[in-house]
Amino acid sequence: MLDIIHAAGWPIWLLVATSVLGMALIIERFMSLRASVVFPRRLPGQALDMLRQGQINSEALTRLSDQAPLGHVLAEILMNRDESNAYRVAAAEDAGKDVAYQLNRYLPALATIAVVAPLMGLFGTVVGMIEIFASYTPQGGDPSQLARGISIALYNTGFGIIIAIPALIFHRYFRSRVDHYLHRMEREASALNRIINRGAGR
C-alpha cells in the first residue's frame, strides 16, 4: 500500500485525507441513524401511557424528549395538549424541522466528498501529465520520469473514483433512511394528536 501511495505522488495525500473523512462520516451516520436510536418502538406507547394516566409534567416530558428524536416530537405534542389543534400541529412541525436537521447532519459533507473526490483525482492526473511533459528534453525522454508521471495520473484518477462511488451510494442510502424515519414520525405524531383531539371533543 505504501508503495502505491509513493507511486501516486504527493496529490494522493489529499485523496487519502478525503477518504478518511468520508469513512468517519459514514461510520458516524450509521451509528446515529440506527432505528433503536432514532425510532425506539416503545416510545409511542410510552407517550400514550403518559397521556392516559395524566402523568405529564416537565420532568417526564424532558425524559421523553431526550430519549430519541421521535420522543422530541411526541413530547412537543404532549406539552401543547391543552392548546388548539392548529397550535399543536404547528409546534409538532417546528419540532420535526429540528429533528430533520439533526438527522440530515453531515449528509451534505458526504455529498461534497462524492463530488470533490473525482476532481481531486483529476488534479492528480494533471500533475501526472506535467511530470510526463517534463520528462521530455531535446535529447529525448527520461523513461523513469515518464513512468512516474503515468503512475501519478492513473493512481490519482482511480483513487478519486474509488472514493466517490461509496460516498455517493451511502449519501443516497442515508437520505432514504432519513426520509423513512421522518415519514414514520409524522404518522406517529398525527396518531397521538388525533387521540388528544378525540379526548378534547368528549
Side-chain angles (χ1 to χ4, degrees):
M1 187 65 180
L2 292 177
D3 292 338
I4 293 176
I5 292 176
H6 177 71
W10 65 267
I12 198 66
W13 289 107
L14 298 175
L15 288 168
V16 170
T18 302
S19 67
V20 171
L21 177 59
M23 183 60 66
L25 292 176
I26 290 172
I27 293 174
E28 191 280 336
R29 286 293 84 189
F30 256 124
M31 300 299 294
S32 299
L33 294 179
R34 289 175 296 165
S36 59
V37 173
V38 179
F39 206 97
R41 295 181 180 273
R42 67 182 184 279
L43 275 188
Q46 183 178 342
L48 186 58
D49 290 340
M50 288 173 58
L51 178 64
R52 289 174 174 172
Q53 298 172 10
Q55 298 176 346
I56 302 176
N57 51 59
S58 59
E59 183 179 350
L61 289 175
T62 300
R63 286 199 304 270
L64 179 64
S65 179
D66 291 343
Q67 288 186 51
L70 173 62
H72 179 64
V73 176
L74 298 180
E76 193 69 26
I77 294 176
L78 293 177
M79 184 186 303
N80 296 283
R81 64 194 179 282
D82 296 328
E83 304 292 342
S84 66
N85 178 67
Y87 189 94
R88 275 197 310 276
V89 170
E93 288 177 350
D94 289 340
K97 291 177 183 178
D98 293 337
V99 168
Y101 175 79
Q102 294 174 6
L103 296 182
N104 283 297
R105 190 171 60 170
Y106 301 135
L107 294 188
L110 197 58
T112 301
I113 289 174
V115 174
V116 169
L119 296 179
M120 288 183 175
L122 180 60
F123 172 72
T125 302
V126 172
V127 173
M129 295 298 293
I130 293 173
E131 291 272 349
I132 292 173
F133 284 112
S135 69
Y136 287 98
T137 64
Q139 291 74 30
D142 183 354
S144 63
Q145 191 172 358
L146 175 63
R148 176 168 173 76
I150 294 174
S151 295
I152 292 175
L154 294 180
Y155 277 127
N156 280 275
T157 302
F159 268 79
I161 295 174
I162 289 173
I163 294 171
I165 292 175
L168 180 60
I169 291 174
F170 281 108
H171 173 262
R172 296 290 178 87
Y173 170 72
F174 290 138
R175 282 292 301 272
S176 176
R177 177 175 284 195
V178 168
D179 290 342
H180 174 65
Y181 285 146
L182 293 176
H183 174 68
R184 292 181 61 187
M185 286 182 193
E186 183 178 358
R187 293 187 61 183
E188 292 294 343
S190 297
L192 181 60
N193 189 52
R194 286 195 299 270
I195 293 173
I196 293 175
N197 284 333
R198 286 201 299 268
R202 292 176 181 174

